[in-house]
Amino acid sequence: VSVSTLTEMFRGCLPRLVALFETAGTGGGDMTPDTAALLEEARMLLLCAGHLLTDDCEGETPAVPESVILACQGATNGESCTASIVALIDMLKSVAEAQATKVASYPADPRLSPLLAKTLLWFFGRWGPSYILPSSDEYRENTGGMLSAYSAPETAQPIVSFCTTLCLLYFCHWPQEKEVQDESTKLLLALAKKGAFVRLLMVNSPSFETIAALHSVCASLRHNAAPSELSTAMAAIGGDLSIDVVRGYQRLPYDDRAKVLTCLVVACSEMSNEKATAMLNGCMKAVEAPFSTLVQALGNKQANSKDINVQESACLSILLYGGIVLASEMSEPERIPHFLTPSLPYLSGLMTFYAEDLTICEGLLKLFRDYAEQYIAMMTRQQCIDLFTASASLLKHYSEHHCRNRVVRKRSSAEAVEEEFEEEQKYNDVMCAIQLLIHLGTKDFTLLCNTASGASHGVETSQITDVIFFGLQQILPLMSQGLLQFPTLCQHYFSLVGFMVETYPEKLCALPFDLFNSLLDSLLFGMSHSDPLVSKSSLQGLASLAKEHLKTHALSTHLSTKPDIFENCTYRILQEVVFQPIIWDRLEPAGMALLPMAAIDVHKFIGLVNAIAAQLGSEDKQRRLHGAFEKLIKPEMLSKVSAEGREGRVVRVQFKNDFDVFVRDVQSFLILK
């Protein structure tokens, strides 16, 4: 009933819409209230159709809703329900085609609605992957009805060709409509991710071939490219592309061009199809060739790195490489590291020319971050080493120019949250650098898993940790308390530091004193942070440093420079965490940090307790505090803090229970009034 009603409502709306689009390009093109109401009516019907016929399958395999399947297989109204849905889809195609055709001729006409176009693309992006060539494995005994409407290549090919043509028209004639472009690339990518059969249908679509050709022509063309450059690029590719179509695609923002390239790489990834393989190679070579020319020109000083056109070409190349990197859902994704590895040193080398340009810096860091995240688990030994080497060089040149003179602007409480968010976005480059190190560190975990199965690629743990610690050293000078006020950045930083301190404390203890002191200050800042995860990571990091010194005296050199390191840490843990109301969501890590601190030098710890007690004033409070510490700190327990195995676990469990009692006791008279 719902489908039939919706179909009839749209049937009544369709003639008026088509008539409206037919007037595009004629006089009297102002938007009237009646026109706006008609477009909004159509958009609302589209939204209803989208939610009725499809589910939000974000992160899941797209599937036809069970309610639709059952309705179309019903003995009474099954055939009529299927016919209504097919009729509705045909009408939606007619509307989309009518508007897109007029957009190609009159893109500036106000009667053509980008919002309606966006909604149509959104609908087909949800509907297409579910209904086109549905897999029999997904529906078991369910067959026929709506599942058979687009289940054959001869019925699916027109739909796929329609979708690619729709996207092509919007790429070339509405390149500056950001939301339309976003939905267009989402539609193409959703179809490409559907599977091998749909990918082959896309490759066989003439419009898709045109999109691939446009990418190949425009991969080297800046927005302000001269007409001679455009003619040369068109002549090199050949084909029957019109100059207007190429100029329209050239006007696409660079990040949208990168998204289109992601769609192309995924859709052309079937190795068994020669046409798809040829298109894929053409798309990737179109990115590689101009980048190689740029790098050679910069290296030979034939191009001035300060020239605005050269800078724009560098940005375009970086974004297009990023588009290739994000195509990890392609078939045989191991081809991406094979393609990208030779270019890594040159991509990293761009930082030597553009270290002062924050836009290019951030683009490079994002590229390396995404590459490490998507492919680190599948790389060979040599590919990993090349990535580690290039990443180390990238971070070194980045830190030399950006890890100083970055001032965090303090904001008053009256300023808007939106402004604080915008301020945090200015430090997105730091976030990308931290995330890159986190993703590089995951190779150590995958190696442990692969070693157990005999599939290790031969990368040593030391090679991984050396790069991560080198990168950490580049970032540490920037991580001031002002920068750590930004929540997301703070969480990622402590996620990295907490893991590294807990896992490799001996390497952090060997840092130069200035860097170690910066690290320690950040851990002390984080232990009283409002975010429990940040505070726990910080306290666990402090505990790891203290235990490492107990075992190996790893901090002896730093203690000769600053003898009160542990006394200061202990004092701040007690005053800023243990004796504060915030202790309850970080009780265990605070206790596990305090225990080795006390064991390092019991006499100094006792002196510190006496100093704290003296500040209380009341003799009764002093006596109760001393009594609580005497029950908590037991000599026989401190002597076994660094013990391994069962003995060490018993000590830690006992101290955990004693610390809980201690905190409840001291807070009863230190905080409660």
Side-chain angles (χ1 to χ4, degrees):
V1 176
S2 299
V3 173
S4 301
T5 302
L6 192 60
T7 302
E8 289 304 316
M9 292 177 68
F10 208 90
R11 186 172 283 120
C13 181
L14 178 61
R16 292 179 290 149
L17 270 178
V18 173
L20 172 65
F21 296 147
E22 287 297 326
T23 63
T26 62
D30 293 336
M31 177 66 71
T32 65
D34 289 341
T35 300
L38 174 60
L39 292 171
E40 184 61 13
E41 178 187 350
R43 193 180 74 87
M44 293 304 297
L45 291 174
L46 266 171
L47 290 172
C48 292
H51 289 291
L52 179 64
L53 299 179
T54 66
D55 289 330
D56 185 4
C57 297
E58 187 72 29
E60 302 176 2
T61 302
V64 180
E66 186 176 2
S67 58
V68 175
I69 295 174
L70 295 177
C72 293
Q73 292 178 341
T76 306
N77 299 315
E79 292 185 4
S80 63
C81 182
T82 302
S84 294
I85 294 177
V86 172
L88 178 60
I89 299 303
D90 288 341
M91 285 189 286
L92 295 180
K93 287 172 57 183
S94 299
V95 171
E97 183 178 358
Q99 175 167 253
T101 303
K102 288 298 181 179
V103 166
S105 302
Y106 311 104
D109 194 291
R111 288 163 291 194
L112 302 175
S113 169
L115 186 57
L116 182 63
K118 171 193 170 183
T119 310
L120 281 162
L121 290 164
W122 166 84
F123 173 83
F124 285 108
R126 285 171 60 122
W127 177 85
S130 299
Y131 287 78
I132 297 174
L133 297 182
S135 171
S136 58
D137 296 336
E138 298 292 333
Y139 301 99
R140 298 184 180 90
E141 70 278 359
N142 290 320
T143 56
M146 200 62 227
L147 293 177
S148 62
Y150 305 97
S151 61
E154 55 270 19
T155 55
Q157 182 69 70
I159 293 290
V160 172
S161 297
F162 163 78
C163 291
T164 55
T165 302
L166 194 63
C167 294
L168 171 62
L169 290 172
Y170 287 137
F171 289 152
C172 297
H173 300 287
W174 263 352
Q176 300 301 314
E177 293 292 345
K178 180 64 178 173
E179 293 186 349
V180 173
Q181 302 308 326
D182 287 345
E183 292 298 335
S184 297
T185 51
K186 285 180 183 178
L187 169 57
L188 288 181
L189 189 59
L191 291 174
K193 288 159 59 176
K194 172 70 176 180
F197 291 112
V198 176
R199 289 172 186 165
L200 294 178
L201 294 180
M202 295 178 72
V203 169
N204 290 331
S205 168
S207 296
F208 189 80
E209 292 184 58
T210 303
I211 294 173
L214 286 170
H215 158 73
S216 297
V217 170
C218 297
S220 62
L221 296 180
R222 308 176 310 278
H223 289 146
N224 63 342
S228 59
E229 295 179 74
L230 192 144
S231 300
T232 302
M234 291 181 65
I237 299 300
D240 56 353
L241 298 174
S242 72
I243 189 72
D244 292 335
V245 168
V246 174
R247 282 175 175 162
Y249 190 89
Q250 180 193 5
R251 290 176 58 215
L252 270 177
Y254 296 153
D255 58 339
D256 288 324
R257 286 202 224 171
K259 292 177 182 177
V260 174
L261 179 55
T262 302
C263 302
L264 289 170
V265 173
V266 176
C268 298
S269 62
E270 292 304 316
M271 296 182 67
S272 60
N273 185 278
E274 293 183 2
K275 182 179 179 180
T277 302
M279 290 175 67
L280 176 63
N281 292 337
C283 289
M284 296 176 80
K285 286 180 181 177
V287 177
E288 184 180 37
F291 177 68
S292 298
T293 303
L294 173 66
V295 169
Q296 187 174 4
L298 287 171
N300 297 336
K301 297 185 178 179
Q302 296 173 341
N304 182 2
S305 62
K306 303 296 183 182
D307 184 272
I308 187 64
N309 291 330
V310 176
Q311 292 178 358
E312 194 168 343
S313 295
C315 286
L316 174 58
S317 291
I318 292 168
L319 287 170
L320 290 179
Y321 269 106
I324 294 174
V325 163
L326 292 178
S328 60
E329 292 179 276
M330 66 184 290
S331 174
E332 306 292 339
E334 296 83 1
R335 288 177 286 175
I336 299 299
H338 180 74
F339 166 78
L340 200 61
T341 295
S343 300
L344 288 179
Y346 304 106
L347 286 165
S348 175
L350 285 180
M351 193 67 85
T352 61
F353 297 101
Y354 297 111
E356 297 179 359
D357 189 318
L358 197 56
T359 301
I360 296 181
C361 275
E362 185 176 331
L364 285 167
L365 289 167
K366 282 182 178 179
L367 171 61
F368 276 73
R369 176 201 66 188
D370 293 340
Y371 180 52
E373 180 183 15
Q374 301 286 338
Y375 302 97
I376 192 73
M378 66 182 72
M379 290 182 191
T380 65
R381 178 181 186 276
Q382 189 57 50
Q383 288 170 346
C384 285
I385 291 174
D386 290 343
L387 174 60
F388 295 155
T389 303
S391 298
S393 174
L394 183 79
L395 291 169
K396 179 177 182 294
H397 292 296
Y398 162 73
S399 67
E400 288 175 353
H401 290 82
H402 291 283
C403 285
R404 55 178 179 267
N405 301 326
R406 296 283 292 272
V407 179
V408 178
R409 181 180 157 221
K410 293 184 180 281
R411 297 184 173 276
S412 67
S413 58
E415 291 187 274
V417 175
E418 289 80 4
E419 293 182 2
E420 294 178 3
F421 176 77
E422 290 176 3
E423 179 74 9
E424 183 175 11
Q425 297 309 297
K426 296 178 182 178
Y427 297 91
N428 200 40
D429 55 308
V430 185
M431 176 84 73
C432 291
I434 292 172
Q435 291 172 326
L436 169 60
L437 294 175
I438 292 173
H439 296 320
L440 291 176
T442 61
K443 186 62 178 180
D444 200 10
F445 172 76
T446 59
L447 281 178
L448 290 175
C449 297
N450 289 336
T451 300
S453 61
S456 174
H457 293 302
V459 182
E460 298 178 3
T461 295
S462 60
Q463 293 175 300
I464 301 168
T465 55
D466 286 348
V467 171
I468 297 173
F469 273 96
F470 177 81
L472 189 58
Q473 290 180 54
Q474 311 308 309
I475 293 173
L476 275 174
L478 182 59
M479 300 312 296
S480 64
Q481 291 190 14
L483 200 58
L484 290 173
Q485 298 289 342
F486 297 122
T488 308
L489 185 58
C490 182
Q491 290 168 4
H492 281 83
Y493 171 74
F494 282 104
S495 174
L496 172 65
V497 169
F499 167 74
M500 297 308 295
V501 175
E502 191 172 2
T503 311
Y504 307 106
E506 71 283 355
K507 286 185 172 288
L508 284 175
C509 290
L511 287 172
F513 177 75
D514 289 342
L515 291 178
F516 175 81
N517 200 43
S518 296
L519 172 69
L520 191 62
D521 285 344
S522 67
L523 292 175
L524 292 172
F525 167 83
M527 68 182 182
S528 57
H529 197 275
S530 58
D531 188 329
L533 295 177
V534 170
S535 65
K536 289 175 183 177
S537 295
S538 302
L539 289 165
Q540 288 167 353
L542 291 169
S544 297
L545 292 176
K547 285 188 285 187
E548 183 64 24
H549 182 71
L550 270 176
K551 294 177 184 177
T552 65
H553 299 285
L555 293 175
S556 298
T557 303
H558 294 333
L559 287 170
S560 65
T561 304
K562 188 177 180 181
D564 63 343
I565 289 177
F566 289 112
E567 293 94 297
N568 181 50
C569 290
T570 306
Y571 179 80
R572 291 187 61 177
I573 289 173
L574 290 171
Q575 292 286 56
E576 298 177 19
V577 180
V578 177
F579 297 158
Q580 299 297 326
I582 62 173
I583 182 62
W584 300 112
D585 63 2
R586 59 204 71 183
L587 184 64
E588 182 176 346
M592 293 300 103
L594 186 63
L595 178 59
M597 295 282 182
I600 289 174
D601 192 325
V602 179
H603 298 293
K604 287 185 177 180
F605 183 80
I606 293 173
L608 187 63
V609 171
N610 291 334
I612 293 174
Q615 299 174 10
L616 297 179
S618 168
E619 292 185 4
D620 178 61
K621 289 184 179 180
Q622 293 181 20
R623 177 182 55 78
R624 293 180 66 180
L625 183 63
H626 279 117
F629 271 110
E630 288 174 3
K631 294 178 183 177
L632 177 67
I633 306 299
K634 301 170 184 175
E636 66 276 9
M637 186 180 294
L638 295 180
S639 63
K640 301 176 182 178
V641 170
S642 59
E644 301 291 343
R646 180 180 182 279
E647 187 178 29
R649 289 195 297 272
V650 170
V651 168
R652 289 190 290 273
V653 170
Q654 182 181 348
F655 185 82
K656 174 186 172 183
N657 296 330
D658 292 345
F659 186 69
D660 183 87
V661 175
F662 167 81
V663 171
R664 295 179 187 279
D665 186 15
V666 298
Q667 291 226 345
S668 66
F669 63 88
L670 287 182
I671 295 180
L672 300 179
K673 302 298 181 183

